[in-house]
Amino acid sequence: MEIIMHQVGKGKDDKTVRMQDKEMAEHYTSYRILLIGSGGREHAMAASIARSPRCAKLFVAPGNAGTAECGENVALATDDFNAVRQFVLENHINMVVVGPEAPLVAGLADNFAKDPLLKQIAFIGPSQRGAMLEGSKDAAKAFMMRHNVPTAAYRTFTRENIGEAFTFLESLQPPYVLKADGLAAGKGVLILPDLETARQSLREMLEDAKFGAASAKVVIEEFLCGIELSVFVLTDGEHYLILPSAKDYKRIGEGDTGLNTGGMGSISPVPFANEDFMSKVEERIVRPTVEGIHAEGIDYKGFIFVGLMNRGGDPYVIEYNVRMGDPETESVFPRIQSDMVELFEQAWKGTLDKAVLKVNPQTAACVMMVAGGYPEKYEKGKEISGLDKVEGSLVFHAGTKRDERGCLRSNGGRVLCVTSFADNLQEALDKSYASVRKINWEDCYYRRDIGQDLLGY
Ligand code: AMP
Ligand code: GLY
């Protein structure tokens, strides 16, 4: 494996030089990095990684037209672990960063850990056991119970005890929250207004496999009233750094109406996540979560995304994800001024207790531009214009590609994501919307009310 090291100084006695050699070499290891993913999250991550003097080369698999500006896109089937292995070895990769959850839930980190040639490669993403915090809602809730992490009361059912599930539903107040246990492409959570629709949906999930194998088990939980936010953590499995908080906007329509989407915008920081609230988040949630991971011997070097409900000033966990959020990353990562590759190295080496997180105190506002029709049927391949007119904002590509003439075209439901910074939220929003209005393609849509609910704080 090729590790590029800078020269160290000469002229001291042997022992000092050896010490310096070691420290400097450690300090200056440069990385040939493979980033896995293809969305706006990965473009934002790629931009931060590419900025680092520690990054010698960045590959993104498969990437998009935006990541191609930060590194080299590679058409690698990332669900084919042998193909990933071969690529990593042939290209002397010494750091892998995983954007989405699927490869982690499928055990990519474990594949590296047990391979004599891959195990020394810095790998950012938890083991399969760790990834079950996202891969199984039941496992995540059981983990929270074991470690006293505040969350909604719940029970888990299968088709064998559906009768008990109906009785449990009757003991709850509406609305009713049903969650498919497994990964269901972000669609596995149903919030039902009354008992009859809840019973009907429960039958569809357990008996008619509404979400396939993912709904063979269903978590039914108490509905938590409050306002949601996301807190991100980078952990080495023992120590942690709490990254900036963010709020995302999941519904397609203004005023949080209509269908759920991957996310239509995000704001960081969250104004109500003040010092007092964040210290509760740390003491009641982040610390016990990381201590739990450590105590259970789970190999976890990567991100924890804690979806939280602020219920009257007290944080409750709605869900864990084992990755960064999208589009939260597009407002969180640009605010992080520390060298991201250095933080990844510290996470890998287990020295995050020595890490220093530097964050831009300004507010970042990110607005997602999507294809008309999304999240239902939409068209791809529309020519995108106006990017060259954007000033003072960052434009992250979510679903784009260049055609054979080099022309930028839409290539997904979520297409572009515009992030701007300012000293206050209103100004950051004004800047982002001014940039959004300069960009166009046929049928493009965006929500015009991102961040409005936070202006009063
Ligand atoms: P999830 O897929 O777990 O993020 O859930 C999707 C959305 O459902 C969350 O972002 C919340 O808005 C909502 N949700 C999930 N669980 C609850 C709950 N216990 N109480 C209220 N809302 C919930
Ligand atoms: N924005 C929510 C998520 O990434 O799951």
Side-chain angles (χ1 to χ4, degrees):
M1 186 176 63
E2 182 187 51
I3 296 185
I4 303 151
M5 292 175 185
H6 289 226
Q7 290 296 311
V8 293
K10 294 194 177 89
K12 302 269 165 57
D13 66 71
D14 271 350
K15 197 172 156 208
T16 322
V17 171
R18 270 205 306 279
M19 273 298 293
Q20 277 192 348
D21 259 15
K22 194 161 170 286
E23 278 167 22
M24 299 281 282
E26 266 179 19
H27 190 68
Y28 282 110
T29 302
S30 294
Y31 287 95
R32 292 173 62 81
I33 301 174
L34 172 64
L35 170 64
I36 292 179
S38 65
R41 166 182 54 211
E42 285 75 22
H43 187 188
M45 292 174 110
S48 293
I49 290 171
R51 242 196 341 262
S52 165
R54 309 288 299 280
C55 175
K57 173 82 188 172
L58 172 64
F59 293 100
V60 189
N64 61 36
T67 62
E69 287 163 21
C70 309
E72 189 179 329
N73 285 351
V74 283
L76 179 62
T78 52
D79 52 354
D80 177 349
F81 290 179
N82 280 331
V84 174
R85 179 179 195 275
Q86 193 177 344
F87 179 86
V88 160
L89 292 174
E90 279 173 6
N91 290 281
H92 309 291
I93 300 297
N94 54 354
M95 179 180 282
V96 175
V97 181
V98 182
E101 66 282 5
L104 301 167
V105 174
L108 186 60
D110 311 70
N111 242 57
F112 272 65
K114 68 178 188 228
D115 187 309
L117 293 180
L118 303 186
K119 67 179 185 198
Q120 70 274 37
I121 294 174
F123 192 101
I124 302 303
S127 63
Q128 194 168 36
R129 263 184 81 207
M132 288 318 274
L133 287 181
E134 176 165 359
S136 164
K137 303 266 188 211
D138 177 49
K141 295 292 281 194
F143 177 91
M144 289 182 237
M145 292 297 121
R146 287 198 295 281
H147 301 288
N148 288 320
V149 175
T151 186
Y154 83 107
R155 277 188 62 193
T156 303
F157 301 93
T158 61
R159 62 184 299 167
E160 278 70 44
N161 60 355
I162 192 164
E164 282 173 50
F166 291 143
T167 313
F168 184 62
L169 270 178
E170 280 160 24
S171 75
L172 298 173
Q173 298 298 313
Y176 300 93
V177 184
L178 306 186
K179 301 185 170 187
D181 174 55
L183 292 183
K187 297 190 170 67
V189 175
L190 302 180
I191 314 259
L192 290 321
D194 55 67
L195 199 53
E196 198 33 53
T197 48
R199 289 163 71 96
Q200 179 59 26
S201 295
L202 185 63
R203 259 188 231 110
E204 287 167 12
M205 289 168 96
L206 288 176
E207 292 179 344
D208 310 335
K210 183 180 171 80
F211 300 105
S215 64
K217 266 191 207 171
V218 172
V219 169
I220 302 182
E221 70 180 32
E222 164 201 19
F223 181 83
L224 294 173
C225 258
I227 175 160
E228 278 183 75
L229 75 156
S230 309
V231 168
F232 300 94
V233 175
L234 180 65
T235 182
D236 57 20
E238 183 176 1
H239 318 102
Y240 57 82
L241 274 185
I242 299 183
L243 306 178
S245 61
K247 182 174 192 297
D248 83 339
Y249 293 81
K250 286 204 173 80
R251 304 293 195 89
I252 188 71
E254 283 162 19
D256 286 330
T257 54
L259 293 174
N260 249 332
T261 71
M264 296 296 292
S266 67
I267 304 294
S268 176
V270 182
F272 62 79
N274 54 22
E275 223 172 281
D276 176 46
F277 183 78
M278 286 307 290
S279 74
K280 290 182 191 166
V281 170
E282 175 162 12
E283 291 314 315
R284 299 180 192 172
I285 292 167
V286 176
R287 194 189 301 276
T289 297
V290 174
E291 280 175 2
I293 286 171
H294 190 237
E296 295 191 17
I298 298 171
D299 197 359
Y300 202 121
K301 297 169 193 311
F303 295 103
I304 311 172
F305 160 170
V306 195
L308 291 175
M309 192 67 87
N310 173 357
R311 185 157 90 161
D314 291 316
Y316 288 80
V317 176
I318 289 188
E319 60 167 350
Y320 289 120
N321 295 301
V322 299
R323 52 177 172 83
M324 286 297 296
D326 191 351
E328 291 94 328
T329 308
E330 291 93 307
S331 56
V332 167
F333 260 51
R335 294 188 56 222
I336 299 177
Q337 294 168 324
S338 312
D339 184 324
M340 220 46 233
V341 175
E342 219 155 84
L343 294 183
F344 289 154
E345 181 184 62
Q346 286 168 306
W348 172 249
K349 290 185 170 166
T351 55
L352 269 184
D353 52 329
K354 302 193 178 65
V356 182
L357 184 69
K358 273 191 275 161
V359 174
N360 177 347
Q362 288 183 300
T363 294
C366 142
V367 177
M368 186 65 80
M369 302 177 73
V370 306
Y374 171 80
E376 296 187 281
K377 201 164 144 359
Y378 58 85
E379 287 181 28
K380 293 183 186 176
K382 305 285 185 193
E383 184 171 338
I384 300 168
S385 63
L387 277 186
D388 51 330
K389 300 197 182 68
V390 171
E391 282 167 22
S393 299
L394 302 167
V395 181
F396 296 116
H397 294 225
T400 62
K401 72 171 184 192
R402 293 202 181 270
D403 65 17
E404 49 299 334
R405 291 182 295 116
C407 164
L408 189 67
R409 292 189 180 270
S410 65
N411 191 39
R414 294 194 291 175
V415 178
L416 291 172
C417 174
V418 176
T419 299
S420 312
F421 292 100
D423 291 335
N424 64 61
L425 176 56
Q426 184 65 62
E427 266 177 55
L429 287 166
D430 291 346
K431 277 167 118 177
S432 280
Y433 280 112
S435 297
V436 163
R437 284 192 291 270
K438 291 182 180 158
I439 303 172
N440 201 16
W441 68 85
E442 190 194 324
D443 256 0
C444 124
Y445 168 78
Y446 55 88
R447 270 179 66 166
R448 286 161 299 174
D449 67 339
I450 300 300
Q452 291 302 309
D453 57 326
L454 298 179
L455 284 170
Y457 286 92

